[in-house]
Amino acid sequence: LAALAEGGARTPTEGSLVGMLSACAPSRNADLAERILDWAMLRSRCTLPVFSAAAKVMIAAKRHDRICEAYEAVEAECGLELDDVCYGQVIRCAVQVGRLALARRLSQKAKNPDAQNTASLIRACGQEGDVRQAMTLLWELHHRGEADTAAFNSALDVAVSGGDRDAARTIFEEMKA
C-alpha cells in the first residue's frame, strides 16, 4: 500500500483492492482497511465491491461508526450507489451507533428494503421512544407478509419500553394469531 500511495507504476485492479481488504478481515484490521478505502476514494477507484469489502472488515472490527462515516464520504466524493445488501449493512450499523436519520435515509434509498432493515428501523424507534412509528413499520412489514418473530419482538420491546400497554397488547395478540 505504501508503494501505491507513493504513486507506483502499477495501479491495482478492483480485484486487487478487494483482495487486500479481504486479507484485513481475519485480523479485523480496520485501520488498514480504512487506509485502502481512502486510497481508492482519492483515486476514483472506490466501487461497490471495494466498499463492501471494507465494510465487512469494519463490521468484523465492530467499527460501526466508521462504516457510517465511510459511507457518507463515499457517497459525497464518489457518488457511489450501494446495493440493497450493502444498504442493509450500513442501516444496521447506523442504528447501532444512534445515527437514526442516516438509517432512515438509507432505508428510503434501498430499492427493496428487507425485513431485517425494517426491524432495525423499529429498534431505532425504540431509541427515540416513538411507539407509533414502530407500529407503522411493523404493520407495513406484516401487510407485505414479511413480519417475522424478530420484527414482532422488536416492536413489542418498543411498545413496552414506551409504556404503551395498548400497543403491546395489540402486538402480542397478533403474535399469537
Side-chain angles (χ1 to χ4, degrees):
L1 183 62
L4 296 174
E6 292 173 9
R10 298 179 66 185
T11 302
T13 64
E14 176 184 78
S16 297
L17 292 170
V18 170
M20 286 187 275
L21 288 162
S22 296
C24 296
S27 62
R28 297 181 178 101
N29 193 342
D31 292 333
L32 181 56
E34 288 178 44
R35 289 189 65 195
I36 295 169
L37 183 63
D38 289 343
W39 183 92
M41 287 189 329
L42 285 172
R43 287 160 182 80
S44 300
R45 310 271 306 166
C46 187
T47 61
L48 179 58
V50 169
F51 179 82
S52 180
K56 287 177 184 171
V57 175
M58 289 184 236
I59 288 171
K62 299 187 185 319
R63 301 283 302 269
H64 302 111
D65 56 329
R66 279 298 297 139
I67 294 170
C68 296
E69 293 168 12
Y71 167 74
E72 290 175 324
V74 166
E75 179 187 42
E77 294 174 27
C78 306
L80 184 67
E81 287 293 322
L82 305 181
D83 62 11
D84 287 344
V85 172
C86 222
Y87 275 131
Q89 290 175 327
V90 180
I91 288 168
R92 285 186 287 283
C93 291
V95 169
Q96 286 185 341
V97 297
R99 303 274 312 270
L100 307 180
L102 176 61
R104 281 194 196 87
R105 184 168 60 86
L106 294 178
S107 179
Q108 292 171 350
K109 289 181 99 170
K111 292 172 183 62
N112 298 306
D114 65 11
Q116 279 189 329
N117 295 353
T118 305
S120 293
L121 291 175
I122 291 171
R123 285 189 291 280
C125 291
Q127 291 176 15
E128 295 177 326
D130 191 347
V131 176
R132 182 184 304 172
Q133 181 63 28
M135 295 290 289
T136 299
L137 290 167
L138 176 64
W139 297 135
E140 286 174 5
L141 255 183
H142 188 59
H143 291 302
R144 291 191 324 239
E146 297 176 5
D148 60 3
T149 304
F152 275 105
N153 284 335
S154 295
L156 183 61
D157 183 52
V158 171
V160 170
S161 299
D164 191 332
R165 293 174 66 156
D166 292 335
R169 188 175 299 115
T170 301
I171 294 167
F172 189 70
E173 291 300 320
E174 189 61 36
M175 289 172 77
K176 289 191 321 187

